[in-house]
Each structure stands twice: as structure tokens, then as C-alpha cells.
């Protein structure tokens, strides 16, 4: 009989790493004081993560990183998001650290965030900009993509916050600084958006999985009419849909992560895979957020309750690195151009196979 | 650990990809030659014994049946990709669907040697076709309440009762009937049920058509009036019918037919958007994404089942979301069309069929309400 591994290879991150991260962030969550309206960087946690080699998880070992891949990075992003940990893991490591390495720029380990300024040098919604020591900018300069690492004292920062209450600032660069950036390969410029979108999916799904736990626990503990509300079929239905949508978002995200890890982002189906993840996670978010709040009742709408530390970031992140609408448009264009005969090939491989000669 | 309802995603290996392309090329030829006209929901509504036999000749039936019983001795994952390829082009697969998905695996697991030799080679060649006799007029979701009686007589059993919604009974050679072989015991309602292999041409079997709202005849009422079933046509253990019918639910619920019944419509709509016959709309992308995510989920569940991991709750998740989505596709395409607009025949035909088949998607094989209960139980809420 055929060996199972010739047929299908399940992809999962190293279980020891997942176990360690789960414990670390479970502890973090239980020790945390009540949630607040504004969410600031947790410097203590950041230093702890740094000590464990987790802030540069995906950096090459030569550049002082831990040599992890996308499977590990996605696990870390998800588990941290499940604890609503206010640390810039995506910005500093997966995106900023990667860009610096790709451009051959030095990384002193100082806290980084990352953005793509517009032609006038302005970038909106730059998460954690005010906390960074310098900002990695990816800039499209006519036909070239440039990467530059700009110390914060050389940029203008207007402090703003996103829906989740996290720093999400407007940053204004000096055009001269951007023009002095290192030219990088086109694929770097194109991949940035995909990597950012997939990192957001990993975070969204991690937060959703925590919501499943919170919702199930509440449905089992909260008693009305003399029994746990989870005994009511109407409540069971709400929770079942939270779990089901979360599972779909997880499958779509993990598929894209697995392809990225296996091909180091070279798989020509990456655009489709990321778009599928972003679309599934984004639409699932509507159901998950809505139903979870319904199950939790009034207590779930309060500042002191954990729920909003998960639902608000989910909604903030699903609109970053492209709105849901934009990703659905991308998918629509891919699907329409694949057409009747090649739509299935697009679904299974992310690429529309060459048209069959007639 | 985080609470993940579905097993890890898996990457398709080269063996499967090659098999896919082989099946795909064959189907393209068949369509080009006019061997069949693509349609929606074909695993229920398109019965074509010639096509089924051709698949048998090519080794694409009986895939999980060992070669000693005339099968291919391959794996559930290989069967998975073959069925996906058949469904997405809307091939006529109803004749072998039930035998291939349920009957073969049940016989392998519970059948006697004699039964395996009697049925499995015919199933693998696509010559023996089957139906499922579970539902009754008063027993739908509450399947354990079936009232068809099996009375022990000299050399076997006599079955009396009425089965309904029996898909393909008017075409099939036999069905598996779930019947009460011992009086009901209110404290143990799942006890005393048994499965019988019933020849649908046997004396005492009356099959009456039930016409669907689309005007088609695919399901039936099957009346059993003291139908004799010999002892050697009892499946598995007497009194274990309930656990036997529920044990294969993972495969039954997570398969590609729970996601892809309307894929031919989605593909036609994509083409129509490209040609300007339908307005460009982002809903297309949203549905394609969901189908892609569900394809991955369904494949992940199959991979887990192949590795003998329990995935019953995950299978319920796939069926709940998949059957909802295949119906949403029908409704979505409908919202894009205008009455009086010059649509092509192909899109029109697929769309109307999909709309009319849609109500059944979320009912057959366990309704979505029942599935949500299964998921809630999996989450420890009941
Ligand atoms: C196209 C099609 C093909 C079929 N083919 C076959 C076949 O070949 N063989 C066969 O045996 N059967 C077949 N069936 C029958 C199918 O399995 C039943 O329709 C299904 O089990 C539901 O039973 P019911 O239709 O009697 O609905 P009911 O069980 O009466 O349900 C009606 C409604 O009540 C809801 N409901 C019932 N109980 C509960 C509960 N406990 N909690 C919440 N809601 C509940 C249901 O979800 C549904 O919405 C087929 C059905 C269809 C539509």
C-alpha cells in the first residue's frame, strides 16, 4: 500500500515550541491586571520574549535571529494574539526584521516597526511607531522598491490609536531618507503586502481560538432558568458557529502558512493562498465577533471583561494590509480570469493551469 | 493547547496530484465527446450506469476495497481526489455514489467473508448499485425511532415497514435497511436495531416514486411487506445497527460532496463574469475563497481519518459549513441575474437546478441543526 506520506503531509509547527508558547502566554494572561481602554506596549513582556529569542524568531542565525520559519512564526503570532499581548512581533520580526535582512541592512535589535509610505512620504496606521527606535520603510520609488531603516527622531509622528486602542500612528518621512534606501528585488516589494496580510490572519485566528474557549466556558458556567445557558439549543447554535467559522479561518490560514514555509514564499500560488486566508478569516470574523458577544451577554460588553481584548483586535487587523473588500476583489479577478475550465485548478493549487489547447 | 476543531492542514503529495490530472484529462475528453452534460448535484440526480462502469474499468471505483475483493486496494485520500475531480465537472456519479461511499466501507468493516465476496467485486466494477434505507415517514432526524420491524422466521427475517426519501431505490439493486429486530426499550433506545441487506427486486418490495419540487424522480418510498431476508444477509451484529450506522459518519460527512455540489455553477458564473454576461462582483471572490478553505478542511479531515484519528466533530464542521456554502453559491448567483436578461442556456439550467436542489443540501445525511448539536457536544456543552 502507498505510504501516507506520499499522499499527504500534515503540516504543524513543532509541538514543543507550541507547548512552551501556550504555557508562557497562558501565564501572561492569567497574571494580567484588568483590561484597559488604551493598550500600550508591554515592555516587560517584550524584554522577556527577547531573552527567549522570540522577538527575532524568524531572523537568520547569522543575523542574531533564532532561525525559525513561517510555521513557527504563525504559531507565535496566534498564541500571543490569543493572550492579547501588546507586543509588535509581526512588525518587528516577521516584517521589519525580514526587510532589513533582505536589504542587507544591519539590525541592532532595537524595537522596529514597519510601513509603506506613500509617494509623499506619509504612512498611515503604523502600529507601535511611537514605541520603535527606528522604522523600517518599504518605498516604491518609480520602478524600484527601496528599504530604509529610519531612526524615529528623523520622522514626524502623529499619535493615533486603532479600534483596539493600540498605537497606530501617522508617520511622515523625509523624502531624502526614503530616496537613500537600498534597492531590493521586486519580489520583496510584492511579498511585503502578502506577508503582512498573512501575519494578520495568524493573529486573527489566534484570537478567534481564544474566543471559542471564552465562549464555551461562559456557556457552561453562566446559569439562567436553573441551568447553564449552554443547555439551550439556541445558545449551542451560536457557539457551534463560532467554533466552525474559527476552524475554517484556521484551515485557510494554515494552508497559506504551509505553502509559504515549504516554498519560502516562492510558490506562485501564494497570492491566491493569502487572499483565501484573508477573505475566509475576515468574513468568519463577522460571525465570531457577533455571536461571541451575543453569548456573553452584558458582561461581555464591559471594559473589565476579556472579550473585547480579542474582538477589537480581530476587527482592527482584518482591515490591515488590504481591506476585506480589496482581497475579495483580487480573488474575483483571479477567479474570473481562470474562467470555467481553470477555476478548480486555481482552488487546488493557487494557479490557473495553462489553458487546454482545443 | 488552543481549541482547534479541525486536524492540521495537509499538503497534497505528488501521487495525489498525478491522479488528479489523470482523472481531469479523462473527464475533459468525456465532456468534449459529449459523453455527459455537466450538471449540479450530480451525486444525487445523475444516474448513469455506463459512465459508472467506465469508471470501474479505469480503476476509479472500489478504491478503498482490497484487491482480493476485486477493489483497487488504494486509500481514502486517493478516492478523495477522484471524487473531487468528478464533482467539480458535474459528472453523472449517482449510480455508484452510495455503494462507493458507504456500502463498500461498511461491508469491509462489518460484512462476512461471503458477503464481501458477493458484493464488493460488483461494487468495484460499478455493476452493483445500492441505496440507503434509513429514514421513515415518522423517523427523520430521530433515526433511532425507526419502526420497520424485522421478525425472525425460519432461515432468516421478515421485514415490514416503510422507508422514505430513498434516493435511487428505483434504479438500485439493493439497499441497507435499518430495522428494529427487538422491541424498543425506552431506557436504551439505540438497542435492538439491526442492518439488513435487502434485494430491492425481492417479493414484497414496492417502490413508489416521490417527485421532487424540481419535477424530478430521484427519491422514493419503499414499502416492505414481509420481505424475506436470509440470515446471511444480516449486516454485522444483530442489535448493533445503531453503532454500525453511526461509525462511518466521519467519512460520510466530511466528503467533497458536502462542499462541491454546486461547483459547476460557480465555475460557470466565473466564466460569465469574465465574458461580461454577469456583472463583476466581489461576492465571486468571497465564495471562491470559502470553497478553497473548505476544500482544505475537508482534505485535512480525510488525512486524519486515513491516519485513523477520530475526526467526527471536525467532519460535522465540514458538513455544516460546506452544505451551507454550496447553497449560498446558488443564492448568490441568483442575486446577480436579472429576469429577462439574455443569459445563456447553460448558466440558466445550472442555476435553476441548484436553487431547487438547495433545500436538500442542509437536510440530507443529518440536518444542520443536528450537526450544530454534534459540534456543541464536541465542545463539551451537552
Ligand atoms: C435530497 C435528499 C435525499 C435523501 N436521501 C435519503 C436516502 O437515500 N435514504 C434515507 O434514508 N434518507 C434520505 N434522506 C432523508 C434525510 O436523511 C432526512 O431528510 C433527514 O434525516 C431529516 O429528516 P426529516 O426530513 O424527516 O426532517 P425532520 O427530522 O422532521 O426535521 C425537520 C426540521 O426540524 C429540525 N429538527 C429535528 N429535530 C431537531 C432537534 N433535535 N433539534 C433541532 N432541530 C431539529 C430539523 O433540523 C429540520 O430543520 C434524503 C433527504 C433529502 C432531502
Amino acid at each position: 500500500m502507498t505510504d501516507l506520506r506520499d499522499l499527504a503531509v500534515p503540516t504543524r509547527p513543532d509541538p514543543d515550541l507550541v507547548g512552551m508558547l501556550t504555557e508562557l502566554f497562558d501565564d501572561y494572561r492569567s497574571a494580567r491586571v484588568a483590561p484597559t481602554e488604551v493598550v500600550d506596549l508591554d515592555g516587560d513582556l517584550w524584554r522577556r520574549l527577547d531573552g527567549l529569542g522570540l522577538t527575532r524568531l524568524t531572523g537568520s542565525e547569522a543575523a542574531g535571529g533564532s532561525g525559525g520559519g513561517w510555521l513557527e512564526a504563525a504559531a507565535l503570532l496566534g498564541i500571543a494574539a490569543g493572550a492579547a499581548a501588546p507586543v509588535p512581533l509581526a512588525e518587528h520580526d516577521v516584517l521589519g526584521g525580514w526587510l532589513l535582512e533582505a536589504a542587507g541592512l544591519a539590525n541592532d535589535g532595537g524595537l522596529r516597526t514597519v510601513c509603506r509610505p506613500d509617494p509623499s512620504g506619509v504612512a498611515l496606521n503604523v502600529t507601535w511607531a511611537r514605541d520603535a527606535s527606528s522604522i523600517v520603510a518599504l518605498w516604491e520609488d518609480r520602478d524600484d522598491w527601496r528599504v530604509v531603516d529610519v531612526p524615529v527622531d528623523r520622522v514626524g509622528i502623529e499619535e493615533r490609536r486603532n479600534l483596539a486602542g493600540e498605537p497606530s500612528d501617522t508617520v511622515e518621512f523625509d523624502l531624502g531618507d526614503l530616496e537613500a534606501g537600498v534597492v531590493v528585488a521586486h519580489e520583496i516589494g510584492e511579498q511585503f503586502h502578502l506577508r503582512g496580510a498573512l501575519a494578520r490572519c495568524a493573529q486573527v485566528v489566534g484570537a478567534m481560538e481564544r474566543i471559542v474557549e471564552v465562549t464555551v466556558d461562559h456557556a457552561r458556567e453562566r446559569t439562567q432558568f436553573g441551568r447553564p445557558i449552554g443547555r439551550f439549543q439556541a445558545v449551542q447554535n451560536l457557539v457551534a458557529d463560532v467554533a466552525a467559522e474559527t476552524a475554517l479561518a484556521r484551515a485557510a490560514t494554515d494552508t497559506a502558512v504551509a505553502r509559504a514555509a515549504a516554498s519560502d514564499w516562492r510558490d506562485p500560488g501564494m497570492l491566491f493562498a493569502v487572499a483565501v486566508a484573508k477573505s475566509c478569516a475576515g468574513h468568519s470574523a463577522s460571525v465570531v465577533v457577533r455571536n461571541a458577544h451575543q453569548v456573553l451577554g452584558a458582561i461581555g460588553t464591559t471594559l473589565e471583561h476579556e472579550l473585547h481584548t480579542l474582538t477589537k483586535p480581530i476587527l482592527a487587523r482584518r482591515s490591515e494590509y488590504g481591506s476585506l473588500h480589496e482581497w475579495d476583489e483580487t480573488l474575483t479577478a483571479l477567479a474570473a480570469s481562470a474562467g470555467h475550465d481553470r477555476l478548480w485548478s486555481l482552488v487546488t493549487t493557487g494557479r490557473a493551469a495553462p489553458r487546454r489547447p482545443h | 493547547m488552543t481549541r482547534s476543531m479541525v486536524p492540521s492542514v495537509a499538503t497534497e503529495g505528488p501521487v495525489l496530484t498525478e491522479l488528479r490530472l489523470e482523472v481531469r484529462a479523462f473527464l475533459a475528453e468525456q465532456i468534449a465527446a459529449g459523453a455527459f452534460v455537466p450538471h449540479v448535484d450530480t451525486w444525487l440526480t445523475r444516474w448513469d450506469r455506463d459512465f459508472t462502469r467506465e469508471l470501474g474499468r479505469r480503476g476509479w471505483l472500489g478504491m478503498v476495497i482490497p484487491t482480493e475483493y476485486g477493489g483497487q486496494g488504494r486509500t481514502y485520500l486517493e478516492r478523495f481526489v477522484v471524487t473531487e475531480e468528478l464533482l467539480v465537472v458535474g459528472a453523472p456519479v449517482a449510480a455508484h455514489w452510495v455503494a462507493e461511499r458507504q456500502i463498500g466501507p461498511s461491508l469491509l468493516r462489518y460484512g462476512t467473508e461471503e458477503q464481501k465476496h458477493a458484493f464488493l467485486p460488483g461494487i468495484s466494477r460499478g455493476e452493483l448499485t445500492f441505496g440507503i434505507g434509513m429514514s421513515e415517514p415518522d423517523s427523520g432526524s430521530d433515526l433511532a425511532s425507526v419502526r420497520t420491524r424485522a421478525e425472525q422466521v425460519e432461515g432468516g427475517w421478515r421485514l415490514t415497514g416503510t422507508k422514505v426519501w430513498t434516493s435511487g431505490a428505483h434504479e438500485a439493486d439493493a439497499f441497507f435497511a435499518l430495522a428494529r429486530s427487538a422491541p424498543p426499550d425506552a431506557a436504551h433506545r439505540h438497542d435492538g436495531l439491526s442492518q439488513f441487506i435487502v434485494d430491492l427486486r425481492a417479493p414484497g418490495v414496492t417502490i413508489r416514486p416521490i417527485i421532487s419540487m424540481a419535477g424530478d424522480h430521484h427519491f422514493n418510498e419503499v414499502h416492505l411487506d414481509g420481505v424475506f431476508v436470509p440470515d446471511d444477509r444480516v449486516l454485522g451484529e444483530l442489535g448493533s445497527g445503531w453503532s454500525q450506522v453511526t461509525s462511518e459518519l466521519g467519512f460520510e460527512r466530511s466528503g467533497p460532496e458536502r462542499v462541491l455540489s454546486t461547483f459547476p455553477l460557480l465555475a460557470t458564473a466565473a466564466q460569465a463574469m469574465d465574458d461580461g454576461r454577469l456583472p463583476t462582483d466581489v461576492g465571486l471572490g468571497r465564495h471562491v475563497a470559502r470553497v478553497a478553505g473548505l476544500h482544505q478542511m475537508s482534505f485535512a479531515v480525510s488525512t486524519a481519518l486515513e491516519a485513523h484519528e477520530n475526526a467526527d466533530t471536525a467532519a460535522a464542521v465540514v458538513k455544516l459549513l460546506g452544505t451551507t456554502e454550496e447553497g449560498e453559491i446558488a443564492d448568490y448567483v441568483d442575486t446577480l441575474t436579472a429576469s429577462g436578461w439574455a443569459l445563456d442556456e447553460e448558466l440558466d439550467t445550472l442555476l435553476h437546478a441548484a436553487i431547487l436542489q438547495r433545500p436538500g443540501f442542509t437536510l440530507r445525511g443529518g440536518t444542520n441543526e443536528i450537526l450544530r448539536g454534534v459540534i456543541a457536544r464536541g465542545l463539551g456543552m451537552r
Side-chain angles (χ1 to χ4, degrees), chain A residues 106-129:
Chain A
N107 189 342
D108 60 6
L111 198 147
R112 296 297 199 294
T113 189
V114 68
C115 64
R116 234 179 79 178
D118 69 14
S120 70
V122 174
L124 303 178
N125 301 319
V126 184
T127 38
W128 316 105

PDB file of all heavy atoms in Angstrom, chain A residues 106-129:
ATOM      1  N   ALA A 106      21.873  46.415   8.587  1.00  0.00           N
ATOM      2  CA  ALA A 106      22.190  45.926   9.933  1.00  0.00           C
ATOM      3  C   ALA A 106      20.959  46.029  10.819  1.00  0.00           C
ATOM      4  O   ALA A 106      20.113  46.900  10.633  1.00  0.00           O
ATOM      5  CB  ALA A 106      23.331  46.749  10.525  1.00  0.00           C
ATOM      6  N   ASN A 107      20.863  45.109  11.776  1.00  0.00           N
ATOM      7  CA  ASN A 107      19.761  45.130  12.726  1.00  0.00           C
ATOM      8  C   ASN A 107      20.371  45.113  14.117  1.00  0.00           C
ATOM      9  O   ASN A 107      20.932  44.112  14.549  1.00  0.00           O
ATOM     10  CB  ASN A 107      18.867  43.910  12.497  1.00  0.00           C
ATOM     11  CG  ASN A 107      17.585  43.990  13.310  1.00  0.00           C
ATOM     12  OD1 ASN A 107      17.508  44.753  14.278  1.00  0.00           O
ATOM     13  ND2 ASN A 107      16.604  43.198  12.933  1.00  0.00           N
ATOM     14  N   ASP A 108      20.254  46.238  14.824  1.00  0.00           N
ATOM     15  CA  ASP A 108      20.865  46.322  16.162  1.00  0.00           C
ATOM     16  C   ASP A 108      19.951  45.717  17.233  1.00  0.00           C
ATOM     17  O   ASP A 108      20.259  45.771  18.407  1.00  0.00           O
ATOM     18  CB  ASP A 108      21.180  47.781  16.498  1.00  0.00           C
ATOM     19  CG  ASP A 108      19.918  48.630  16.498  1.00  0.00           C
ATOM     20  OD1 ASP A 108      18.805  48.061  16.349  1.00  0.00           O
ATOM     21  OD2 ASP A 108      20.028  49.861  16.634  1.00  0.00           O
ATOM     22  N   GLY A 109      18.810  45.169  16.832  1.00  0.00           N
ATOM     23  CA  GLY A 109      17.905  44.553  17.812  1.00  0.00           C
ATOM     24  C   GLY A 109      16.963  45.537  18.465  1.00  0.00           C
ATOM     25  O   GLY A 109      16.055  45.140  19.183  1.00  0.00           O
ATOM     26  N   GLY A 110      17.167  46.834  18.211  1.00  0.00           N
ATOM     27  CA  GLY A 110      16.237  47.825  18.760  1.00  0.00           C
ATOM     28  C   GLY A 110      14.843  47.615  18.179  1.00  0.00           C
ATOM     29  O   GLY A 110      14.694  47.102  17.075  1.00  0.00           O
ATOM     30  N   LEU A 111      13.835  48.024  18.938  1.00  0.00           N
ATOM     31  CA  LEU A 111      12.465  47.744  18.519  1.00  0.00           C
ATOM     32  C   LEU A 111      12.128  48.426  17.187  1.00  0.00           C
ATOM     33  O   LEU A 111      12.363  49.611  17.011  1.00  0.00           O
ATOM     34  CB  LEU A 111      11.500  48.181  19.620  1.00  0.00           C
ATOM     35  CG  LEU A 111      10.098  47.586  19.529  1.00  0.00           C
ATOM     36  CD1 LEU A 111       9.544  47.387  20.931  1.00  0.00           C
ATOM     37  CD2 LEU A 111       9.194  48.468  18.724  1.00  0.00           C
ATOM     38  N   ARG A 112      11.600  47.629  16.273  1.00  0.00           N
ATOM     39  CA  ARG A 112      11.258  48.140  14.940  1.00  0.00           C
ATOM     40  C   ARG A 112       9.759  48.038  14.706  1.00  0.00           C
ATOM     41  O   ARG A 112       9.105  47.126  15.176  1.00  0.00           O
ATOM     42  CB  ARG A 112      11.916  47.302  13.834  1.00  0.00           C
ATOM     43  CG  ARG A 112      13.415  47.312  13.800  1.00  0.00           C
ATOM     44  CD  ARG A 112      13.920  48.709  13.516  1.00  0.00           C
ATOM     45  NE  ARG A 112      15.292  48.758  13.041  1.00  0.00           N
ATOM     46  CZ  ARG A 112      16.370  48.429  13.745  1.00  0.00           C
ATOM     47  NH1 ARG A 112      16.249  47.970  14.967  1.00  0.00           N
ATOM     48  NH2 ARG A 112      17.582  48.546  13.229  1.00  0.00           N
ATOM     49  N   THR A 113       9.277  49.005  13.938  1.00  0.00           N
ATOM     50  CA  THR A 113       8.001  48.750  13.289  1.00  0.00           C
ATOM     51  C   THR A 113       8.224  48.960  11.804  1.00  0.00           C
ATOM     52  O   THR A 113       9.353  49.232  11.365  1.00  0.00           O
ATOM     53  CB  THR A 113       6.852  49.600  13.835  1.00  0.00           C
ATOM     54  OG1 THR A 113       5.630  49.114  13.265  1.00  0.00           O
ATOM     55  CG2 THR A 113       7.019  51.074  13.492  1.00  0.00           C
ATOM     56  N   VAL A 114       7.174  48.853  11.034  1.00  0.00           N
ATOM     57  CA  VAL A 114       7.373  48.772   9.600  1.00  0.00           C
ATOM     58  C   VAL A 114       6.196  49.447   8.894  1.00  0.00           C
ATOM     59  O   VAL A 114       5.084  49.490   9.435  1.00  0.00           O
ATOM     60  CB  VAL A 114       7.495  47.279   9.225  1.00  0.00           C
ATOM     61  CG1 VAL A 114       6.188  46.548   9.421  1.00  0.00           C
ATOM     62  CG2 VAL A 114       8.032  47.055   7.844  1.00  0.00           C
ATOM     63  N   CYS A 115       6.455  50.014   7.719  1.00  0.00           N
ATOM     64  CA  CYS A 115       5.346  50.622   6.973  1.00  0.00           C
ATOM     65  C   CYS A 115       5.731  50.829   5.516  1.00  0.00           C
ATOM     66  O   CYS A 115       6.887  50.653   5.129  1.00  0.00           O
ATOM     67  CB  CYS A 115       4.954  51.952   7.599  1.00  0.00           C
ATOM     68  SG  CYS A 115       6.259  53.180   7.520  1.00  0.00           S
ATOM     69  N   ARG A 116       4.731  51.222   4.751  1.00  0.00           N
ATOM     70  CA  ARG A 116       4.944  51.506   3.329  1.00  0.00           C
ATOM     71  C   ARG A 116       4.448  52.918   3.056  1.00  0.00           C
ATOM     72  O   ARG A 116       3.277  53.108   2.745  1.00  0.00           O
ATOM     73  CB  ARG A 116       4.133  50.517   2.508  1.00  0.00           C
ATOM     74  CG  ARG A 116       4.954  49.769   1.495  1.00  0.00           C
ATOM     75  CD  ARG A 116       4.085  48.812   0.744  1.00  0.00           C
ATOM     76  NE  ARG A 116       3.317  49.493  -0.285  1.00  0.00           N
ATOM     77  CZ  ARG A 116       2.502  48.855  -1.122  1.00  0.00           C
ATOM     78  NH1 ARG A 116       2.333  47.551  -1.024  1.00  0.00           N
ATOM     79  NH2 ARG A 116       1.848  49.522  -2.031  1.00  0.00           N
ATOM     80  N   PRO A 117       5.331  53.906   3.194  1.00  0.00           N
ATOM     81  CA  PRO A 117       4.881  55.286   2.973  1.00  0.00           C
ATOM     82  C   PRO A 117       4.425  55.518   1.529  1.00  0.00           C
ATOM     83  O   PRO A 117       4.894  54.854   0.614  1.00  0.00           O
ATOM     84  CB  PRO A 117       6.126  56.123   3.283  1.00  0.00           C
ATOM     85  CG  PRO A 117       7.260  55.179   3.368  1.00  0.00           C
ATOM     86  CD  PRO A 117       6.734  53.811   3.565  1.00  0.00           C
ATOM     87  N   ASP A 118       3.510  56.470   1.368  1.00  0.00           N
ATOM     88  CA  ASP A 118       3.017  56.813   0.028  1.00  0.00           C
ATOM     89  C   ASP A 118       4.044  57.693  -0.686  1.00  0.00           C
ATOM     90  O   ASP A 118       5.078  58.034  -0.118  1.00  0.00           O
ATOM     91  CB  ASP A 118       1.627  57.447   0.148  1.00  0.00           C
ATOM     92  CG  ASP A 118       1.670  58.822   0.807  1.00  0.00           C
ATOM     93  OD1 ASP A 118       2.778  59.404   0.937  1.00  0.00           O
ATOM     94  OD2 ASP A 118       0.599  59.317   1.211  1.00  0.00           O
ATOM     95  N   PRO A 119       3.789  58.065  -1.933  1.00  0.00           N
ATOM     96  CA  PRO A 119       4.787  58.838  -2.684  1.00  0.00           C
ATOM     97  C   PRO A 119       5.187  60.140  -1.991  1.00  0.00           C
ATOM     98  O   PRO A 119       6.300  60.637  -2.174  1.00  0.00           O
ATOM     99  CB  PRO A 119       4.082  59.118  -4.011  1.00  0.00           C
ATOM    100  CG  PRO A 119       3.087  58.010  -4.160  1.00  0.00           C
ATOM    101  CD  PRO A 119       2.637  57.686  -2.772  1.00  0.00           C
ATOM    102  N   SER A 120       4.307  60.676  -1.153  1.00  0.00           N
ATOM    103  CA  SER A 120       4.675  61.916  -0.472  1.00  0.00           C
ATOM    104  C   SER A 120       5.415  61.643   0.833  1.00  0.00           C
ATOM    105  O   SER A 120       5.747  62.568   1.562  1.00  0.00           O
ATOM    106  CB  SER A 120       3.413  62.746  -0.205  1.00  0.00           C
ATOM    107  OG  SER A 120       2.625  62.115   0.781  1.00  0.00           O
ATOM    108  N   GLY A 121       5.632  60.373   1.139  1.00  0.00           N
ATOM    109  CA  GLY A 121       6.414  60.034   2.333  1.00  0.00           C
ATOM    110  C   GLY A 121       5.586  59.859   3.588  1.00  0.00           C
ATOM    111  O   GLY A 121       6.128  59.803   4.692  1.00  0.00           O
ATOM    112  N   VAL A 122       4.271  59.751   3.441  1.00  0.00           N
ATOM    113  CA  VAL A 122       3.407  59.610   4.616  1.00  0.00           C
ATOM    114  C   VAL A 122       2.875  58.173   4.703  1.00  0.00           C
ATOM    115  O   VAL A 122       2.478  57.593   3.696  1.00  0.00           O
ATOM    116  CB  VAL A 122       2.217  60.602   4.538  1.00  0.00           C
ATOM    117  CG1 VAL A 122       1.232  60.364   5.693  1.00  0.00           C
ATOM    118  CG2 VAL A 122       2.734  62.034   4.550  1.00  0.00           C
ATOM    119  N   ALA A 123       2.901  57.629   5.911  1.00  0.00           N
ATOM    120  CA  ALA A 123       2.319  56.297   6.128  1.00  0.00           C
ATOM    121  C   ALA A 123       1.269  56.402   7.221  1.00  0.00           C
ATOM    122  O   ALA A 123       1.516  57.000   8.278  1.00  0.00           O
ATOM    123  CB  ALA A 123       3.399  55.298   6.527  1.00  0.00           C
ATOM    124  N   LEU A 124       0.110  55.823   6.950  1.00  0.00           N
ATOM    125  CA  LEU A 124      -0.990  55.862   7.928  1.00  0.00           C
ATOM    126  C   LEU A 124      -1.030  54.554   8.720  1.00  0.00           C
ATOM    127  O   LEU A 124      -0.591  53.509   8.241  1.00  0.00           O
ATOM    128  CB  LEU A 124      -2.324  56.044   7.210  1.00  0.00           C
ATOM    129  CG  LEU A 124      -2.453  57.276   6.310  1.00  0.00           C
ATOM    130  CD1 LEU A 124      -3.818  57.293   5.614  1.00  0.00           C
ATOM    131  CD2 LEU A 124      -2.260  58.562   7.118  1.00  0.00           C
ATOM    132  N   ASN A 125      -1.614  54.643   9.902  1.00  0.00           N
ATOM    133  CA  ASN A 125      -1.850  53.436  10.707  1.00  0.00           C
ATOM    134  C   ASN A 125      -0.590  52.592  10.893  1.00  0.00           C
ATOM    135  O   ASN A 125      -0.600  51.387  10.657  1.00  0.00           O
ATOM    136  CB  ASN A 125      -2.942  52.567  10.087  1.00  0.00           C
ATOM    137  CG  ASN A 125      -4.257  53.326   9.974  1.00  0.00           C
ATOM    138  OD1 ASN A 125      -4.631  54.061  10.904  1.00  0.00           O
ATOM    139  ND2 ASN A 125      -4.932  53.180   8.860  1.00  0.00           N
ATOM    140  N   VAL A 126       0.466  53.228  11.338  1.00  0.00           N
ATOM    141  CA  VAL A 126       1.702  52.487  11.586  1.00  0.00           C
ATOM    142  C   VAL A 126       1.671  52.041  13.047  1.00  0.00           C
ATOM    143  O   VAL A 126       1.847  52.851  13.960  1.00  0.00           O
ATOM    144  CB  VAL A 126       2.943  53.350  11.304  1.00  0.00           C
ATOM    145  CG1 VAL A 126       4.201  52.510  11.473  1.00  0.00           C
ATOM    146  CG2 VAL A 126       2.857  53.947   9.906  1.00  0.00           C
ATOM    147  N   THR A 127       1.402  50.753  13.227  1.00  0.00           N
ATOM    148  CA  THR A 127       1.258  50.248  14.592  1.00  0.00           C
ATOM    149  C   THR A 127       2.597  50.324  15.330  1.00  0.00           C
ATOM    150  O   THR A 127       3.641  50.013  14.764  1.00  0.00           O
ATOM    151  CB  THR A 127       0.739  48.799  14.554  1.00  0.00           C
ATOM    152  OG1 THR A 127       1.350  48.115  13.467  1.00  0.00           O
ATOM    153  CG2 THR A 127      -0.776  48.773  14.358  1.00  0.00           C
ATOM    154  N   TRP A 128       2.525  50.771  16.573  1.00  0.00           N
ATOM    155  CA  TRP A 128       3.667  50.859  17.505  1.00  0.00           C
ATOM    156  C   TRP A 128       4.755  51.832  17.072  1.00  0.00           C
ATOM    157  O   TRP A 128       5.866  51.780  17.599  1.00  0.00           O
ATOM    158  CB  TRP A 128       4.302  49.472  17.736  1.00  0.00           C
ATOM    159  CG  TRP A 128       3.308  48.379  17.958  1.00  0.00           C
ATOM    160  CD1 TRP A 128       2.953  47.414  17.072  1.00  0.00           C
ATOM    161  CD2 TRP A 128       2.501  48.169  19.128  1.00  0.00           C
ATOM    162  NE1 TRP A 128       1.983  46.603  17.619  1.00  0.00           N
ATOM    163  CE2 TRP A 128       1.692  47.043  18.877  1.00  0.00           C
ATOM    164  CE3 TRP A 128       2.387  48.832  20.361  1.00  0.00           C
ATOM    165  CZ2 TRP A 128       0.772  46.552  19.796  1.00  0.00           C
ATOM    166  CZ3 TRP A 128       1.483  48.335  21.273  1.00  0.00           C
ATOM    167  CH2 TRP A 128       0.686  47.206  20.985  1.00  0.00           C
ATOM    168  N   ALA A 129       4.460  52.751  16.153  1.00  0.00           N
ATOM    169  CA  ALA A 129       5.523  53.658  15.679  1.00  0.00           C
ATOM    170  C   ALA A 129       6.148  54.436  16.834  1.00  0.00           C
ATOM    171  O   ALA A 129       7.370  54.556  16.934  1.00  0.00           O
ATOM    172  CB  ALA A 129       4.953  54.630  14.640  1.00  0.00           C
TER     173      ALA A 129
END
